[in-house]
Amino acid sequence: MTEFKGDVSIVLGGAAGQGIQTVEGILTYALKKSGYHVYANKEYMSRVRGGINTTEIRVSSRRVRAFVKRIDILVPFKQGVLSWVEDRLDENTVVLGERENVEESFLGKVNLVEVPLTRMALETGSQLYLNTTAAGLIVGLFHGDFSAIEEYIRKRFGSKGENVVRKNIEAAKKGYDLGVRLCEEGTIRVEVERDESVRDEVLLTGTEAVGIGALAGGMNFLSFYPMSPSTGVSTFAAQHAEEFEIVVEQVEDEISAINMALGAWYAGARAMVSTSGGGFALMSEAISLAGMAENPVVVHLAQRPGPATGLPTRTMQGDLNLVLYAGHGDFPRIILAPGSLKEAFYLTAEAFNLADKYQVPVIILTDQYFVDTYYNLPAPDVEKVKFERHIVEAKPGYRRYELTEDGISPRAVPGYGEDVVIANGNEHDEWGDVTEDAELTIKMQEKRAIKKLETIKRNAPLPKLIGSENAEYLVIAWGSTLHVVEEALQKLGREDVALLHFSWLYPLNPETKKFFEGKTVIAVENNITGQFAELLKKEFGVEVQHKVLKYDGRPFSVEEVLETLKGVIE
Amino acid sequence: MNVQLPTGRELFEPKRPGSQDIAWCPGCGNFGIRNILISALAELELKPTEVAIISGIGQAAKMPHYINANGYHTLHGRAIPIATGVKAANPQLTVIAEGGDGDMYAEGGNHLLHAIRRNPDITVLIHDNQIYGLTKGQASPTTMPGMKTPTQPWGVFEEPFNPVALAIALDASFVARTFMGYFKESVEIIKKAIQHRGLAIVDILHPCVSFNKVNTYAWYREHTYWMEDHDPYDREAAFRRAIERDPLPLGIFYINEKPTFEDQVPAYRNDRTPLWKREPKLELVKRFFEEKKL
């Protein structure tokens, strides 16, 4: 008998096109509705069919929000899955599935609990029901609410007709009963306590958190060119375009996408583009225009490994330098990187106020791991989203680039007020007309690159310290690695190690420096050079004593971070 | 100029300090185009605040500085996507994208193609002098074969771009060509282009007195003619005219009335309010989260 307590990691693996996502959908929905904390993440290959994709689902009695390497229950839908995840298997892993999906070399080495999923599906009427049977089976192991599965199936397959719904429910029930039986027979025992409060929580993906955050921030224009892993946000916007009455347009290239967004902002819209590193590379010309013309814009960049096409469906925090230095000449920008889904919601909404206020490009950095992560959380408080409009009326004699103390010129939009608005990508005078005057050039350069930058810095929020101020070791993380480092530190359980998480990456408030004084600094980054550690060094002269780096296109696991930190500290 | 200029032009004459020193060469065709554009805007009784002129880079693209209207002088080749964004954000504005032949046909060529497909209600004015002026005399996509330039000392051998034929081939909404030397006719064409609902492309021939010694004022007069008895709603006839080379036909080649981009985006189906006046629909955001609880 194999027993799992408190926190179970289930991995489903199969070919692209085999419907793993259906299983994932049913499972997370039904288990969350049954009162379990759930977390899911997937890794997939850059192909439409075939290959091997896996999904990890953690089911727990307490909040779980990070990727673990450990696999408690593995459900393979085809041969090759075990080899693909070989380094994640241990003596406790239970392989739940059909013998023919287990490679010869693993037979006898793993705890195989044979379940005739295909036969059960065929008994229901078709191999097509394999997914729902498997989903039912797992929910059964947890004695979850079967009615939740039914509900999900009705929602998901309702449009396909009553017969499809009925058959899927039948398939799920067969799986469910078997799951319950496996527990009763004592083959597998799963003990996870339910938490009733989970039922009232929302189940959200990183993609949705960014997308709904943007809509809450007043985004009413999104232009994009599809690129993994950022496309989900554009799809999300497109699917909500009618309801929210916004403009969403798939354009000819990334150059057009960002320029269209700049035009929209110039005319007063709140526009966003969603892209990945390669797409952003094409946008850097327009980022520079935004810098010179002081044209607000919001960019969501979901990172994937580069350079060039890199690993299109995998993850990395490798584009910080790209967004930090994109565009020629000196001009300020704001770089944000949410760590949690909640933060992604609020920060994306806030990005629009920031862009509007400071009239700079605001870049939200996520990555494949982040956008594809989902878990339950209390619904964010929508009332807390502040909508700040920083548009002024163009009074007679209006000067778009008026020189001010804080470097921020009041921004009018065409058609509001009695005067006209002249924006310009060339160096310009206060009215926006082209100039080659040396004095004025100096003033305008200083306005943008010094005064405005200083104003933003002064108002920049500080990073979040998790743990004691007096800790000897300070672990630095940014963006998507928040939860994984947090969980690793919980497991480490040492008072002398604290986490400093950055979701506002640039420009940094000068006060940030105080966090590092007298500490041994350890940076955890999902890239090969430690780009953020370099930034800290450049900005504050911070010496990062240890860099924990991962750059194989996969996210950090809790175990990896924990082991590496132990190695560094002990 | 012995032409009766319309009243209302003074509204569009800029008084800003930076707009007084015009950077164009004496005799440049851009002066004529400026006069034509200001006259067209005045005759249409538009107000400067209702007009937005979005330009790319180059001598032609300096237009926003010499007119009193909203303006955005942007990047080489990018005027069309920016203008599309402006119009989509505020359909109440009269939006004009302006640039030279290099701007619109070379660097921005891809945007032109897709703007024709997208059909935003903007007017695209191309100052076509068949040469790169601001970078001092290199060949442009419309330079005629045989012309020798500092960077094509052996003479241009590439097929010149035919914007009119291209636009008609892609079923553009409004396609015209004019020569800025014909003031009255050009004002009429540009007025019609602005009034047209949908993407209006006007290829405006004009001389570059400094770098194009072939296509002079006299050359354009001798090598162009006005189309008469041409039905702009007849696409095949329009295409036949478009591939005529010498003399070049002038006038409105093709009109194809079809829904505009702004007509079709969900943003304006029930509400014509410009986007800058709108607020986030937080009730819908709340509802989204309610549904995510299930």
Side-chain angles (χ1 to χ4, degrees):
Chain A
M1 186 185 77
T2 319
E3 224 180 82
F4 300 108
K5 274 190 178 169
D7 173 14
V8 189
S9 155
I10 302 157
V11 171
L12 309 149
Q18 261 190 321
I20 303 271
Q21 281 183 44
T22 309
V23 188
E24 185 187 328
I26 298 177
L27 275 183
T28 45
Y29 181 85
L31 291 170
K32 186 236 150 198
K33 273 214 104 178
S34 307
Y36 295 110
H37 289 281
V38 290
Y39 155 93
N41 196 281
K42 58 172 168 279
E43 55 97 20
Y44 52 103
M45 291 181 170
S46 180
R47 54 192 290 176
V48 177
R49 293 207 176 269
I52 290 170
N53 296 348
T54 66
T55 290
E56 170 172 297
I57 297 164
R58 288 178 74 185
V59 187
S60 175
S61 53
R62 52 171 192 89
R63 286 200 192 287
V64 272
R65 295 179 162 182
F67 175 71
V68 288
K69 193 176 167 190
R70 180 189 93 234
I71 299 177
D72 295 324
I73 299 172
L74 177 68
V75 186
F77 286 98
K78 68 176 281 197
Q79 279 244 352
V81 172
L82 276 86
S83 311
W84 183 245
V85 298
E86 188 170 2
D87 65 331
R88 299 176 60 187
L89 305 175
D90 63 32
E91 65 279 9
N92 295 320
T93 308
V94 169
V95 177
L96 197 55
E98 293 162 283
R99 198 188 180 99
E100 62 261 36
N101 290 338
V102 177
E103 294 89 299
E104 203 67 35
S105 59
F106 286 93
L107 288 171
K109 279 197 245 166
V110 292
N111 308 316
L112 174 64
V113 174
E114 278 191 74
V115 279
L117 290 173
T118 306
R119 204 187 71 216
M120 290 163 73
L122 288 172
E123 278 169 15
T124 313
S126 158
Q127 179 127 21
L128 287 172
Y129 303 116
L130 187 75
N131 302 323
T132 21
T133 314
L137 171 72
I138 295 182
V139 179
L141 291 178
F142 290 86
H143 294 82
D145 301 341
F146 188 75
S147 60
I149 302 184
E150 280 183 289
E151 245 176 73
Y152 185 90
I153 289 171
R154 276 191 198 289
K155 261 200 212 172
R156 173 86 193 248
F157 301 112
S159 59
K160 294 183 179 172
E162 187 49 35
N163 192 45
V164 175
V165 170
R166 201 169 40 79
K167 284 287 186 186
N168 272 291
I169 291 175
E170 191 187 320
K173 188 73 171 81
K174 281 203 177 100
Y176 186 89
D177 291 344
L178 177 62
V180 172
R181 205 162 62 235
L182 288 176
C183 291
E184 282 167 357
E185 288 167 356
T187 315
I188 303 178
R189 178 171 294 163
V190 178
E191 264 183 53
V192 180
E193 274 174 50
R194 299 191 193 208
D195 175 350
E196 293 305 313
S197 68
V198 171
R199 293 180 210 268
D200 282 332
E201 295 193 351
V202 297
L203 192 58
L204 220 56
T205 68
T207 292
E208 289 170 330
V210 170
I212 196 71
L215 289 168
M219 177 185 78
N220 44 34
F221 189 106
L222 181 136
S223 39
F224 74 103
Y225 189 83
M227 184 169 185
S228 293
S230 68
T231 316
V233 169
S234 306
T235 309
F236 180 89
Q239 295 191 343
H240 289 83
E242 298 202 291
E243 191 187 7
F244 280 81
E245 299 182 294
I246 61 170
V247 179
V248 176
E249 178 69 353
Q250 180 180 321
V251 299
E252 57 272 22
D253 53 32
E254 284 87 351
I255 297 171
S256 181
I258 188 149
N259 280 292
M260 226 178 254
L262 291 183
W265 272 99
Y266 164 72
R270 291 195 152 198
M272 180 163 96
V273 297
S274 184
T275 190
S276 296
F280 189 86
L282 282 171
M283 295 180 183
S284 53
E285 175 201 45
I287 291 291
S288 193
L289 172 64
M292 177 54 102
E294 304 194 46
N295 195 134
V297 70
V298 176
V299 181
H300 166 242
L301 193 164
Q303 300 165 97
R304 69 192 215 188
T309 312
L311 290 163
T313 64
R314 304 205 174 269
T315 203
M316 202 161 285
Q317 294 181 307
D319 295 340
L320 173 60
N321 284 340
L322 173 70
V323 298
L324 196 55
Y325 300 111
H328 51 289
D330 287 303
F331 59 93
R333 65 199 74 199
I334 294 171
I335 305 171
L336 310 171
S340 66
L341 300 186
K342 182 177 153 192
E343 204 169 46
F345 171 74
Y346 290 119
L347 213 49
T348 306
E350 182 61 11
F352 291 85
N353 291 334
L354 293 169
D356 206 356
K357 181 176 180 183
Y358 298 119
Q359 306 159 36
V360 293
V362 178
I363 300 130
I364 302 158
L365 272 185
T366 64
D367 50 45
Q368 180 268 323
Y369 173 71
F370 189 85
V371 294
D372 285 334
T373 284
Y374 57 112
Y375 52 73
N376 58 289
L377 68 155
D381 183 357
V382 178
E383 300 297 330
K384 277 192 187 158
V385 175
K386 284 193 220 83
F387 177 67
E388 295 170 8
R389 213 200 301 268
H390 298 273
I391 292 171
V392 301
E393 198 180 336
K395 301 255 170 64
Y398 173 73
R399 284 170 291 166
R400 171 68 192 91
Y401 300 107
E402 187 186 333
L403 292 164
T404 59
E405 207 43 53
D406 62 1
I408 316 287
S409 311
R411 186 173 73 99
V413 300
Y416 180 38
E418 289 169 67
D419 214 337
V420 300
V421 182
I422 315 288
N424 195 348
N426 291 43
E427 191 55 277
H428 40 254
D429 61 19
E430 290 183 83
W431 288 265
D433 290 313
V434 177
T435 188
E436 297 202 24
D437 184 275
E439 287 285 314
L440 204 49
T441 301
I442 290 170
K443 282 186 182 151
M444 289 294 171
Q445 288 274 346
E446 289 174 351
K447 167 193 204 284
R448 294 183 297 261
I450 297 176
K451 287 187 175 178
K452 195 197 268 197
L453 181 66
E454 291 302 321
T455 301
I456 303 172
K457 270 186 185 176
R458 254 197 327 275
N459 294 307
L462 295 174
K464 195 165 107 194
L465 182 73
I466 302 167
S468 164
E469 267 177 49
N470 305 319
E472 186 189 337
Y473 297 97
L474 190 65
V475 179
I476 306 295
W478 62 276
S480 66
T481 53
L482 168 69
H483 294 312
V484 73
V485 179
E486 206 176 22
E487 189 172 334
L489 290 188
Q490 278 163 12
K491 291 216 155 75
L492 186 69
R494 280 178 51 156
E495 289 285 310
D496 58 347
V497 187
L499 166 63
L500 191 64
H501 181 265
F502 289 79
S503 46
W504 177 295
L505 305 186
Y506 185 86
L508 292 163
N509 190 317
E511 307 244 324
T512 308
K513 194 168 191 236
K514 69 173 189 221
F515 287 100
F516 307 104
E517 281 159 15
K519 310 277 181 190
T520 300
V521 182
I522 306 162
V524 178
E525 293 190 55
N526 216 175
N527 63 49
I528 189 167
T529 53
Q531 295 183 8
F532 188 66
E534 291 300 315
L535 176 64
L536 289 177
K537 187 169 185 183
K538 178 173 163 268
E539 293 284 309
F540 303 121
V542 168
E543 280 306 325
V544 172
Q545 279 84 356
H546 303 279
K547 287 182 191 167
V548 178
L549 305 173
K550 179 164 179 164
Y551 40 87
D552 59 0
R554 274 73 175 164
F556 277 109
S557 66
V558 173
E559 295 93 332
E560 260 173 329
V561 176
L562 177 63
E563 288 312 309
T564 321
L565 286 181
K566 274 186 186 164
V568 169
I569 291 161
E570 284 159 8
Chain B
M1 203 179 292
N2 302 322
V3 191
Q4 187 65 45
L5 295 175
T7 54
R9 283 177 46 102
E10 63 284 355
L11 279 178
F12 291 95
E13 288 295 349
K15 308 212 167 37
R16 306 184 305 268
S19 60
Q20 304 309 311
D21 175 24
I22 296 189
W24 296 325
C25 310
C28 174
N30 282 320
F31 286 103
I33 298 177
R34 178 184 168 279
N35 262 330
I36 290 163
L37 179 58
I38 287 185
S39 299
L41 295 171
E43 285 189 21
L44 290 171
E45 297 182 349
L46 288 161
K47 284 194 276 179
T49 51
E50 294 169 341
V51 178
I53 300 171
I54 314 303
S55 69
I57 290 296
Q59 287 296 73
K62 289 177 179 166
M63 190 66 86
H65 304 298
Y66 310 140
I67 284 192
N68 184 44
N70 294 299
Y72 194 172
H73 186 178
T74 70
L75 294 171
H76 200 39
R78 313 300 171 216
I80 290 177
I82 294 178
T84 303
V86 172
K87 184 73 183 182
N90 186 352
Q92 291 168 5
L93 295 169
T94 293
V95 179
I96 296 165
E98 209 163 349
D101 35 319
D103 215 19
M104 296 292 186
Y105 302 146
E107 196 87 48
N110 195 33
H111 303 313
L112 179 69
L113 301 185
H114 293 276
I116 293 172
R117 292 179 50 233
R118 190 168 290 120
N119 200 33
D121 182 17
I122 63 173
T123 303
V124 182
L125 303 180
I126 302 105
H127 300 213
D128 187 356
N129 59 8
Q130 304 179 260
I131 200 83
Y132 283 176
L134 193 50
T135 53
K136 310 216 162 168
Q138 302 80 14
S140 91
T142 51
T143 301
M144 286 171 20
M147 189 191 283
K148 292 187 174 176
T149 80
T151 47
Q152 289 84 14
W154 43 81
V156 170
F157 49 75
E158 283 92 347
E159 182 72 21
F161 195 75
N162 183 338
V164 174
L166 175 107
I168 297 166
L170 291 178
D171 220 6
S173 197
F174 180 103
V175 189
R177 181 196 286 138
T178 187
F179 163 49
M180 51 63 62
Y182 299 119
F183 181 80
K184 241 174 61 191
E185 293 85 349
S186 296
V187 171
E188 283 312 307
I189 285 178
I190 288 174
K191 273 165 62 186
K192 288 196 174 116
I194 291 173
Q195 283 177 312
H196 177 80
R197 294 196 76 249
L199 186 80
I201 298 169
V202 187
D203 186 61
I204 309 171
L205 301 172
H206 81 97
C208 170
V209 293
S210 296
F211 295 106
N212 186 340
K213 303 300 181 194
V214 177
N215 310 105
T216 59
Y217 282 93
W219 187 93
Y220 282 120
R221 285 186 199 279
E222 283 161 23
H223 294 267
T224 58
Y225 78 101
W226 287 98
M227 293 185 283
E228 278 165 28
D229 301 324
H230 169 64
D231 175 10
Y233 294 91
D234 181 342
R235 190 174 175 208
E236 283 184 32
F239 196 77
R240 274 195 298 276
R241 293 282 187 153
I243 56 176
E244 289 178 20
R245 281 198 165 174
D246 196 3
L248 292 162
L250 302 177
I252 298 169
F253 284 77
Y254 185 52
I255 297 173
N256 168 25
E257 277 149 12
K258 54 182 178 178
T260 67
F261 177 59
E262 305 79 42
D263 285 341
Q264 297 183 90
V265 292
Y268 299 110
R269 274 185 208 151
N270 310 309
D271 183 0
R272 304 293 289 181
T273 315
L275 300 183
W276 71 266
K277 289 185 179 168
R278 300 189 186 187
E279 294 196 359
K281 294 181 191 287
L282 293 180
E283 287 311 309
L284 293 179
V285 175
K286 279 183 204 160
R287 199 204 297 163
F288 171 85
F289 284 126
E290 282 308 312
E291 283 166 9
K292 281 280 157 189
K293 284 181 185 172
L294 300 173

